[in-house]
Amino acid sequence: MKLLKTAAVAALLAGLALPALAQQRTLTLNTDASDPAPKAAFDQLIKGFEAENPDVKVVVNIFDHEGYKTAIRNFLTADSPDLANWYAGNRMAPFVKSGQFLDVSDVWEENGLKDSLAPALSSMTIDGKQWGVPYTYYQWGIYYNKDVYKKVGVEVPKTWDEFISNCKKFKAAGIDCLTTGTKALWPAAGIFDYLDLRTNGYDFHMKLTNGEIPWTDDRVRKVFAEWAKVVPYTTPNTAAIDWQDAVSNIVQGKAANYVMGNFAVATFKDGGMTDDSLGFMDFPEITPGIPRAEEAPTDTIHIPAGAKNVADAKKFLAYIARADVQTKMNQELGQLPINVNSTVGDDPYLQAGFKILSTADGGIAQFFDRDAPAAMAKAGMEGFQEFMAKPERLDAILDRLEKTRQRVYKN
Amino acid sequence: MSVSPAISQGSAGQPAPRKRRRLSRKLAPWLFLAPGMFMFLIYVLIPIGRSVWISFYQWDGLSPAHWIGLENYAELLDDDAFYTSLKNNVIWLVLYMLAIPLGLFIALFLNQTVRGIRIYKSLFFFPFVISQVVVGLIFSWFYAPGFGLFYKITEWFGGQGVAVLADENLVTYGIIAAGLWPQIAYCMILYLTGLNSVAPDQIEAARLDGAKGIKMLWYVVLPQLRPATFIALVVTIIGALRSFDLVSIMTSGGPYGSSRVLSYYMYEQALSEYGYRMGYGAAIAVVLFAIMMIFISGFIWKMWRDERGL
């Protein structure tokens, strides 16, 4: 199946490369924008670029979203495009360290991107250089059912203690305070990230995901102690539930809160929720006084080391970094632009997200599986899943994660 | 000049045709075997060798590979996930064997001439026709907490529903049950064809001697079904060892890795989103290969013995 797909893509590439005219330069872009919204956003982006650069023809190869994660390793080494999209943070580290991505610090210098794309500067920087250009991100937070809140008669909490005391009331009403579906592991990481960011702050969280802090550290235990408070009020059996199935718990009013990314709004609305019934709140405060950090996974575009048309690729990066381009593109995507001079659509969730991200003085984390290296992320997320099912095994889980940390960060 | 060699060959070649015939008789089998051997070399032997070779390296598939000797194997020995997978593989192997007696039982049951028996036979065979992916999906809905039929039934009986796929102690058995469904159908078909060739005169003779029921089955029918049993054993063992699709579809190895089997763990380490430890994955593959080799050599030994009539 995968082989077939690769063969088909290769055939497609060969077919597309032939008709390219001699005087017109081509720029190939590989992307995983296979869903309708991202696809429309890329179509529109490329039309805009070609209108401004009539001598460049952009050839797009669209990959299936999941398959792309494997495909990129093949096409970077075998048949490199001029541009490829990927993710910021530690997710791009393997490609940077093996020399598969080109250093594009000059694009950042020449276009003043260090100011205009400031929110993503740290997540795009490895060894003091920038390796790509970010074009979109989205916030994480707590999505909740306003009707359930009204029915039980509780206020939207500002602090974690309030959140927990609300949980008791939800429980009395037979409603799960927190729901999630961790079959795919990553939804559990969203909860951990926020608990850690709120308990210990951004710098600690980054050190932890960078392997500089042992998992058996007392500050890590404190995070799990906070988590343990909400475990009794969480939907049981999350390990067998897909995140989309957990959405229906919120839609049907069986659960009140869901720690999720903004992409889930579409799923909530498909289930019949509206702006009147679906609420969004920032994750409540745990340790008072620490600078508020947020989580916002960033999507990026890179120039592979094997690119044939580097000059035009850099032009493309400069184009996609522009404020007006990011405004238009993110309206189509339904996400947030990185460029600080861009404007955000009037969607209430995006507006709320923009507000919390632009005022996050603590810093912006990517996501556990993008901040931590792959092997650590996998082991960590399994540990979180196990903790939610068997909180009494915390010691064994932390010992195992510590063992993984010592192996993963060794070299 | 140019003609003479041909002539001289012809004239001096009185014994040559015989020699050539002998030569071609020696050569011919190799020529016929060559394409098969070539394929076998390219698609089986070299990949096996490469896998063993890669298992001595630390390699992410992108950067240069780095020789670490037996370190991958040393790590395996200290890896809880590896032991979980190994244990699950053993459970699979043992419980999958149930498919053979159950398949035999259904085949005996269906081996009668009743009106419409063909329809019943095809209904029993139906699960084997469905793709494993679909079987996995059906069973994960069956077990799903909240709305699954199995969950509802256990909820109705015990007050609290059992979410099989979220329970580390039940999950492997839940998946094996899903795997048995088509595997029983497979064994049944093998036995049905076997039952067709059971000699009626022997049955008759046994009946005259007063054999009945279990005795008839054990001493008369089963010995004649030995070839079918052998094939059923082979496909079931191989099916149990390469169980991958059901694990991948139903749980992705979860909850927290407790339903992993070796083949899935190898995939996770080497090829999945969070993997790309090619060396470590290859080491797991080598272990799995070694386990399979025990069974494969057993089968080959038996077939070799049968062929020589021992």
Side-chain angles (χ1 to χ4, degrees), chain B residues 66-251:
Chain B
H66 174 64
W67 175 271
I68 53 169
L70 289 172
E71 245 176 74
N72 281 326
Y73 293 93
E75 195 189 323
L76 267 187
L77 289 179
D78 190 32
D79 184 349
D80 293 338
F82 172 70
Y83 289 113
T84 311
S85 321
L86 200 60
K87 189 189 101 200
N88 284 337
N89 257 117
V90 173
I91 299 177
W92 267 88
L93 210 49
V94 171
L95 289 184
Y96 229 47
M97 290 302 150
L98 283 177
I100 298 174
L102 289 174
L104 173 66
F105 177 76
I106 297 175
L108 289 170
F109 175 68
L110 289 178
N111 191 38
Q112 45 187 317
T113 36
V114 193
R115 211 179 131 80
I117 191 70
R118 276 160 201 267
I119 294 178
Y120 302 131
K121 279 186 190 171
S122 46
L123 280 178
F124 272 95
F125 188 56
F126 180 63
F128 185 65
V129 182
I130 315 176
S131 129
Q132 293 263 306
V133 176
V134 179
V135 172
L137 274 179
I138 293 174
F139 268 82
S140 31
W141 290 329
F142 180 58
Y143 294 137
F147 61 88
L149 183 63
F150 184 82
Y151 184 84
K152 288 281 185 204
I153 292 173
T154 51
E155 199 172 32
W156 193 68
F157 277 110
Q160 203 175 358
V162 180
V164 174
L165 298 185
D167 186 318
E168 56 180 39
N169 297 315
L170 296 178
V171 63
T172 300
Y173 301 102
I175 302 173
I176 295 174
L180 276 176
W181 192 43
Q183 191 66 27
I184 289 172
Y186 194 10
C187 292
M188 179 204 78
I189 264 301
L190 290 172
Y191 277 119
L192 270 179
T193 46
L195 282 170
N196 275 338
S197 58
V198 169
D201 48 334
Q202 288 187 22
I203 303 276
E204 200 77 354
R207 198 163 283 156
L208 284 176
D209 287 344
K212 252 188 242 148
I214 301 284
K215 269 208 167 126
M216 167 82 96
L217 175 69
W218 190 254
Y219 291 107
V220 183
V221 179
L222 270 188
Q224 296 190 59
L225 287 176
R226 268 186 65 184
T229 308
F230 179 66
I231 299 289
L233 195 69
V234 172
V235 295
T236 306
I237 287 177
I238 291 174
L241 283 175
R242 54 161 214 183
S243 51
F244 172 87
D245 17 22
L246 286 174
V247 176
S248 167
I249 292 290
M250 293 175 72
T251 62

Side-chain angles (χ1 to χ4, degrees), chain A residues 69-70 73 77 91 95 98 183 237 239-240 369 374 378 381-382 385-386 389-390 393 403 407 411, chain B residues 58 60 62-63 71 75 78 145 151 163 165-166 168 249-251 255-257 260 268 273-274 276-277:
Chain A
K69 292 167 186 168
T70 321
R73 305 177 74 95
T77 43
R91 260 301 169 95
F95 297 122
S98 62
K183 193 172 180 180
N237 302 319
D369 72 348
K378 171 94 181 170
M381 294 190 301
E382 264 177 29
Q385 195 192 39
E386 185 169 356
K390 310 265 173 188
R393 288 195 198 152
K403 200 164 109 184
R407 177 179 58 73
N411 18 6
Chain B
Q58 182 179 54
D60 64 359
L62 284 174
S63 326
E71 245 176 74
E75 195 189 323
D78 190 32
Y151 184 84
L165 298 185
E168 56 180 39
I249 292 290
M250 293 175 72
T251 62
Y256 34 91
R260 280 187 187 115
E268 262 187 330
E273 190 183 345
Y274 301 112
Y276 296 109
R277 296 183 66 204

